[in-house]
Amino acid sequence: MLFAVEVSSSAHTAMEIYDKVQRAVQFYLYPIHFQCIIAVVAVVYIALKVTKLVVRKYEDTRVLESFPGPPGHWLFGHALEFPQDGTGLDKVVKWGEAYPFAFPLWFGPVIAFLNIHHPSYAKTLLASTEPKDDIAYRFLIPWIGEGLLVSHSNKWFRHRRLLTPGFHYDVLKPYVKLIADSTKVMLDKWENYAKTNESFELFQHVSLMTLDSIMKCGFSCNSNCQTESGTNAYIKAVYELCDLVNLRFRVFPYHSDIIFHLSPHGYRFRKACKIAHGHTEEVIRRRKEILKCEREQEKVQTKRHLDFLDILLCARDDNQEGLADEDIRAEVDTFMFEGHDTTASGISWLLFSLASNPEHQKTCREEITQVLQGKDNMDWEDLSKIPYTTMCIKESLRMYPPVPGIARKLTKPLTFFDGRTVPAGFLVGTSVFGLHRNATVWENPNVFDPLRFLPENCAKRSPHAFVPFSAGPRNCIGQTFAMNEMKVAVCLTLKRYELMTDPDLKPKMLPRLVLRSLNGIYLRIKHLEPEP
């Protein structure tokens, strides 16, 4: 009996040991098996992704066989050809001379754009309602949302229809005086530069002026941003966001949302977005408070001029439905950025152009002096009485387009006049800068010649040869506002100062979301001699 108990006890102990060993094996081997499964899944996923990219590369290469272009690096494409040193745009023009109408540009190993630089091709693309591309413009969405700039299909049509009344002539007329007031604040700040003959960087001054104008015109808000000490936080955030969007487009790994989010640049982008959104949210909050205090929204017009934000908040479609809060903020962010940064670029390069061409500056001043007849302000009616100055504005927009390029993603095949076709899903860009400097369209394209825009000369060219505000159904909704602001700014500036370039500081053009200068735009000014 004792022996039986001992045997039973030994067997029980052996079973316990076996169970422990089995559990230990499972404990250590199960994670290994699980990790192997995860690794296999990851390898398969990566292999599928790589295969998809290889197939896309092959398909795009076949599509582009009929469009010869400059050779690119097998991995980086043409990205290394644009070192951000102020020479990139000239390179695009040079390639355009070798490859007529259009040529491909590769950014990274698989992203290809067909780059258009001729009006006959631009007409085909811009006449369509094709949406903006889903790469570069996608990077803007966390900042400006899905407003008019990046939205498409029914949403774009609906928003365009609701916002169009905000740019009616009756709405724009009161803006002339407001823009003039902001311009005079800027010109007053330049008095010290006129006295010392010291050169100064122009873009930062004009950016503050155009922001001040857009706040007054679009949002009935006196921001005092031009007279506040220190750097304006919103302006600084916009500069940062423009640079980071451009960087993200050029650095292929940053096309991944996860990689960009975890990077230092992603952190800077989110920080700048927070500043920009805080600015616009405060503007909207203030206006909603005002509307709450008004018994009837119809009283808005009697109390102050009808502005862009009024129209956003009060707009209704055929079903009497307005814009959602998210859509309102997206449109405000879009209008705030495009309404000040693009016009700041246009005005800055315009003043530089006139400083570089004193004979045209003199002719403009004579015309302005005759129209204003001693007035220190501009009226709506004056805007149509300065044809030579308007031609100079257009010539500056030709040579220095505020938006140097635009891109679309095709939803259906696109066939050009010469029979070449691009399939649905392809990315097609219009190099506005390349189009405006195309020597087959413009004689001596690098020469500032406003007489190109005499009516008889315009009649000889395709209307798609000059597209600073794009063209077709997706053209810039605010182009009349922008032209008016440029007219007011240049007229009041030339009435007070003579503009001169700084020979030691020649600007180097740098394409961002808008056309900037790598080293700034520097001018010198002096007071005009009093008339005898």
Side-chain angles (χ1 to χ4, degrees), residues 57 69-81 95 104-106 108:
K57 171 83 172 180
H73 189 273
W74 69 272
L75 179 61
F76 301 109
H78 297 98
L80 299 180
E81 299 288 341
W95 284 339
L105 286 177
W106 290 84

Side-chain angles (χ1 to χ4, degrees), residues 203 238 242 337-338 340-346 349 401-404 510-517:
F203 207 112
V238 168
C242 290
F337 159 63
E338 289 205 278
H340 100 268
D341 210 33
T342 53
T343 51
S345 175
W349 288 106
V403 180
L510 189 67
R512 289 291 182 257
L513 295 179
V514 301
L515 185 63
R516 300 188 185 278
S517 170

Side-chain angles (χ1 to χ4, degrees), residues 7-148:
V7 171
S8 175
S9 176
S10 298
H12 182 70
T13 302
M15 288 296 294
E16 287 182 345
I17 293 172
Y18 176 77
D19 288 342
K20 289 180 180 179
V21 170
Q22 189 176 36
R23 285 196 296 272
V25 170
Q26 290 175 345
F27 177 79
Y28 288 107
L29 291 184
Y30 178 76
I32 295 174
H33 286 307
F34 181 74
Q35 291 170 7
C36 288
I37 292 172
I38 294 296
V40 170
V41 171
V43 169
V44 171
Y45 176 79
I46 293 172
L48 289 174
K49 280 288 187 182
V50 170
T51 301
K52 184 179 179 181
L53 293 176
V54 170
V55 170
R56 178 179 173 180
K57 171 83 172 180
Y58 173 75
E59 291 176 346
D60 288 354
T61 302
R62 285 189 61 188
V63 169
L64 294 171
E65 285 178 351
S66 59
F67 296 95
H73 189 273
W74 69 272
L75 179 61
F76 301 109
H78 297 98
L80 299 180
E81 299 288 341
F82 301 97
Q84 307 302 296
D85 61 355
T87 63
L89 290 173
D90 292 332
K91 191 167 292 185
V92 170
V93 173
K94 184 178 179 180
W95 284 339
E97 294 171 355
Y99 307 102
F101 299 107
F103 57 85
L105 286 177
W106 290 84
F107 294 92
V110 295
I111 298 175
F113 284 80
L114 180 64
N115 186 64
I116 291 172
H117 60 92
H118 192 279
S120 297
Y121 265 45
K123 176 182 178 180
T124 305
L125 179 66
L126 299 181
S128 70
T129 57
E130 295 288 44
K132 300 296 176 67
D133 79 77
D134 57 356
I135 298 179
Y137 288 95
R138 175 173 66 87
F139 302 151
L140 287 170
I141 292 177
W143 169 20
I144 62 174
E146 295 192 46
L148 269 185

Side-chain angles (χ1 to χ4, degrees), residues 261-279:
H261 183 85
L262 295 175
S263 71
H265 293 111
Y267 171 77
R268 285 168 50 192
F269 183 84
R270 294 192 298 277
K271 184 178 178 181
C273 273
K274 185 176 180 181
I275 295 171
H277 291 162
H279 180 81

Side-chain angles (χ1 to χ4, degrees), residues 5 30 74 96 107 127 188 199 221 253 257 283 378 386 404 433 468 528:
V5 171
Y30 178 76
W74 69 272
F107 294 92
D188 289 342
S199 68
C221 176
D257 291 337
V283 169
M378 289 280 293
I386 47 172
F433 187 88
L528 295 173

Side-chain angles (χ1 to χ4, degrees), residues 350-491:
L350 169 61
L351 298 181
F352 170 77
S353 296
L354 293 175
S356 304
N357 298 275
E359 69 281 10
H360 297 299
Q361 180 185 163
K362 182 176 181 292
T363 305
C364 287
R365 183 176 293 109
E366 291 170 352
E367 179 182 69
I368 293 164
T369 302
Q370 183 178 0
V371 169
L372 295 184
Q373 295 181 346
K375 294 188 301 182
D376 64 350
N377 215 331
M378 289 280 293
D379 296 320
W380 173 264
E381 293 73 21
D382 297 329
L383 300 178
S384 60
K385 299 176 182 178
I386 47 172
Y388 194 86
T389 304
T390 301
M391 289 193 295
C392 285
I393 292 173
K394 291 181 178 180
E395 178 66 348
S396 178
L397 290 173
R398 181 192 69 82
M399 295 190 70
Y400 307 102
V403 180
I406 51 181
R408 306 278 183 89
K409 182 174 183 178
L410 303 183
T411 60
K412 52 185 177 293
L414 192 70
T415 301
F416 298 104
F417 79 97
D418 56 4
R420 291 189 288 184
T421 299
V422 183
F426 212 81
L427 302 173
V428 183
T430 299
S431 172
V432 179
F433 187 88
L435 181 62
H436 287 183
R437 301 280 185 125
N438 190 326
T440 66
V441 179
W442 305 92
E443 186 178 354
N444 298 321
N446 297 322
V447 175
F448 187 87
D449 180 11
L451 298 183
R452 302 177 197 273
F453 291 94
L454 285 170
E456 57 269 28
N457 290 332
C458 291
K460 300 174 185 176
R461 290 190 303 268
S462 164
H464 291 85
F466 178 66
V467 289
F469 301 105
S470 188
R474 292 203 65 140
N475 66 351
C476 175
I477 194 173
Q479 58 183 290
T480 302
F481 173 85
M483 283 296 293
N484 291 349
E485 187 166 21
M486 294 182 74
K487 289 178 182 180
V488 172
V490 73
C491 286

